[in-house]
């Protein structure tokens, strides 16, 4: 640092659900779309590095912080007044709207469609970026369109789902910064009808058969209860929720490799143990499978609460997919545990787990 450079002093940890990460040079809070656009384009004009922050639920920020300006999306407009399209209602929400706030608002307005994604932390604008999904529903199933700021041209435009390359926990908006999501729109169901209940655990909890539809409010209550039991509903007093949610995505194995991978797993856990697998992709010639990351982590010897009660970073005591800050951790400690788990699964099964959060000024 030269004599003319001021030290970074704007704390970023408080903007993330992990409560980790060093400072930025400055934090700017933007409460409407116009301010977001003007602020980002002004910073770009000055060649100032920009970190866009929504709800901070999918960010792992390095201990050294971010040598630039953090722009917090705090816009909060929710609009049901746009009428119907193709015979269906829809909602438009600013990127800064809290996701669960949006889910609750749609149900309060008499609609269904988003209820299976209840309780997911973060901002609405982040959901299409990683194609958020839970309990049998993905954003791709309900997304109508996304409004983005093209930082190269300085213009706003609406983008259709077909342009986004939506896949399992990914899109072509992820790991790039030339487009910033400023608003999202979702299709809704009338009469507070839920999406078809396809996730067996949820169907059992609600008391219906798979593919049935029920009142969205009932589904929301069940989802919130299930998530709370796994430490996946934010609670400032519960360190199990000081996380970035599921840290690893479920690994997808190409069909040609699947028999060898499953054979290796069976050799480790025993032929009499059922290995949870799910179809992945649509290539009938090479039918890929999806494995359960949480199941692999546990069978590799990493149990809930690993490595123990005195550790600053632990696997959640409720859910092995969450890496949690117990109140005094550093990002370095978090990533050390992530590497231990990742490498342990590779050693046991030959399967590499990939991180779901966005890593800022740090790496695995």
């Amino acid at each position: 640092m030269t004599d003319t450079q001021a030290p970074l002093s704007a704390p970023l940890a408080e903007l993330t659900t992990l409560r980790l990460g060093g400072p930025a040079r400055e934090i700017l809070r933007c409460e409407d779309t116009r301010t977001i656009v003007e602020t980002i384009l002004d910073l770009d004009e000055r060649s100032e590095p920009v970190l866009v922050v929504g709800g901070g639920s999918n960010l792992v920020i390095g201990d050294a912080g971010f040598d630039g300006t953090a722009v917090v999306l705090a816009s909060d407009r929710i609009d049901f007044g746009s009428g119907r399209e193709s015979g269906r209602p829809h909602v438009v929400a600013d990127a800064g709207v809290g996701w669960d706030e949006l889910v609750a608002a749609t149900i309060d307005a008499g609609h269904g469609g988003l209820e299976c994604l209840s309780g997911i932390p973060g901002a609405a604008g982040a959901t299409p970026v990683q194609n958020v999904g839970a309990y049998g529903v993905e954003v791709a199933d309900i997304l109508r369109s996304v409004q983005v700021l093209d930082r190269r041209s300085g213009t706003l435009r609406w983008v259709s789902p077909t342009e986004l390359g939506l896949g399992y926990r990914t899109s072509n908006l992820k790991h790039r910064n030339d487009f910033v999501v400023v608003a999202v729109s979702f299709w809704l169901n009338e009469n507070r009808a839920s999406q078809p209940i396809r996730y067996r655990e949820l169907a059992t909890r609600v008391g219906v058969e798979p593919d049935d539809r029920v009142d969205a409010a009932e589904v929301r209550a069940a989802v919130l209860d299930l998530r709370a039991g796994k430490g996946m509903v934010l609670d400032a007093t519960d360190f199990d929720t000081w996380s970035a949610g599921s840290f690893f995505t479920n690994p997808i194995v190409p069909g040609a490799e699947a028999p060898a991978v499953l054979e290796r797993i069976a050799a480790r856990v025993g032929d009499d143990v059922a290995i949870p697998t799910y179809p992945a992709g649509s290539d009938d010639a090479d039918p890929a499978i999806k494995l359960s990351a949480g199941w692999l982590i546990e069978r590799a010897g990493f149990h809930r609460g690993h490595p123990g009660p005195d550790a600053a970073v632990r696997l959640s005591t409720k859910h092995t997919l969450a890496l949690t800050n117990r109140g005094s951790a550093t990002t370095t400690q978090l990533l050390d545990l992530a590497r231990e788990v990742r490498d342990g699964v590779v050693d046991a099964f030959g399967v590499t787990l990939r991180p779901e959060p966005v890593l800022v000024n740090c790496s695995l």
Side-chain angles (χ1 to χ4, degrees):
M1 185 176 67
T2 69
D3 292 339
T4 59
Q5 291 177 311
L8 305 182
S9 60
L12 291 172
E14 62 191 34
L15 301 179
T16 73
T17 54
L18 269 165
R19 296 169 170 81
L20 293 178
R25 182 176 298 119
E26 187 177 10
I27 296 173
L28 300 177
R29 183 179 175 88
C30 299
E31 298 189 353
D32 57 63
T33 297
R34 178 178 177 179
T35 305
I36 292 169
V37 171
E38 291 177 348
T39 298
I40 291 176
L41 293 182
D42 176 65
L43 292 168
D44 287 346
E45 180 69 21
R46 295 190 276 121
S47 299
E48 169 75 353
V50 174
L51 174 64
V52 177
V53 180
S57 62
N58 200 44
L59 283 180
V60 178
I61 299 173
D63 293 318
F66 178 73
D67 191 9
T69 297
V71 175
V72 179
L73 308 186
S75 50
D76 60 1
R77 178 182 61 100
I78 299 175
D79 181 15
F80 294 98
S82 302
R84 300 168 62 87
E85 183 180 321
S86 303
R88 298 181 63 185
H90 60 269
V91 64
V92 178
D94 282 348
V97 173
W99 172 253
D100 196 55
E101 175 189 342
L102 176 60
V103 177
T106 61
I107 293 174
D108 289 344
H111 300 294
L114 311 188
E115 61 288 326
C116 289
L117 304 181
S118 293
I120 294 176
T127 59
V129 176
Q130 65 186 77
N131 190 21
V132 165
Y135 295 102
V137 173
E138 292 183 330
V139 160
D141 301 325
I142 50 178
L143 186 64
R144 176 174 171 259
S145 55
V146 175
Q147 189 180 34
V148 297
L149 166 64
D150 185 338
R151 294 169 67 178
R152 299 165 301 181
S153 64
T155 59
L156 288 172
R157 67 186 181 96
W158 284 94
V159 179
S160 70
T162 56
E163 299 176 72
L164 296 178
L166 295 165
Y168 172 63
R169 301 299 176 268
T170 193
S171 73
N172 59 25
L173 294 171
K174 195 171 183 179
H175 302 305
R176 62 187 294 175
N177 58 17
D178 52 341
F179 290 130
V180 176
V181 176
V182 297
V184 288
S185 181
F186 296 95
W187 294 112
L188 301 173
N189 301 331
E190 292 184 301
N191 302 319
R192 222 163 66 175
S194 73
Q195 291 291 93
I197 308 300
R198 298 194 172 100
Y199 197 83
R200 183 164 295 278
E201 181 185 25
L202 179 58
T204 300
R205 180 62 65 95
V206 178
V208 299
E209 292 298 315
D211 290 327
D212 283 353
R213 295 176 186 260
V214 295
D215 186 280
E218 183 180 356
V219 177
R220 172 172 167 77
V223 168
L224 289 173
D225 188 52
L226 287 169
R227 289 184 63 86
K230 300 173 183 178
M232 291 297 188
V233 176
L234 294 180
D235 180 349
T237 66
D238 182 0
F239 288 136
D240 276 334
T241 72
W242 289 32
S243 76
S246 297
F247 194 88
F248 296 104
T249 58
N250 291 323
I252 294 176
V253 181
E257 300 173 18
V261 170
L262 293 175
E263 182 178 356
R264 178 167 178 171
I265 295 173
R268 173 68 181 252
V269 302
D271 291 330
D272 59 335
V273 176
I275 303 170
T277 63
Y278 312 91
S282 56
D283 186 352
D284 294 334
D286 186 25
I289 61 170
K290 184 191 300 179
L291 301 173
S292 167
W295 188 91
L296 292 172
I297 289 168
E298 291 189 29
R299 297 317 184 279
F302 301 100
H303 302 295
R304 298 175 188 180
H306 175 86
D310 297 328
V313 174
R314 301 167 61 188
L315 298 185
S316 167
T317 65
K318 303 180 182 73
H319 182 34
T320 53
L321 263 181
L323 277 64
T324 65
N325 168 15
R326 311 311 290 190
S328 60
T330 65
T331 301
T332 297
Q333 291 171 318
L334 178 90
L335 295 177
D336 284 346
L337 178 58
R339 293 186 193 97
E340 180 190 0
V341 171
R342 179 197 62 190
D343 295 347
V345 171
V346 170
D347 290 344
F349 305 120
V351 176
T352 300
L353 301 181
R354 309 291 182 189
E356 184 168 336
V358 175
L359 307 183
V360 178
N361 200 16
C362 59
S363 62
L364 277 182

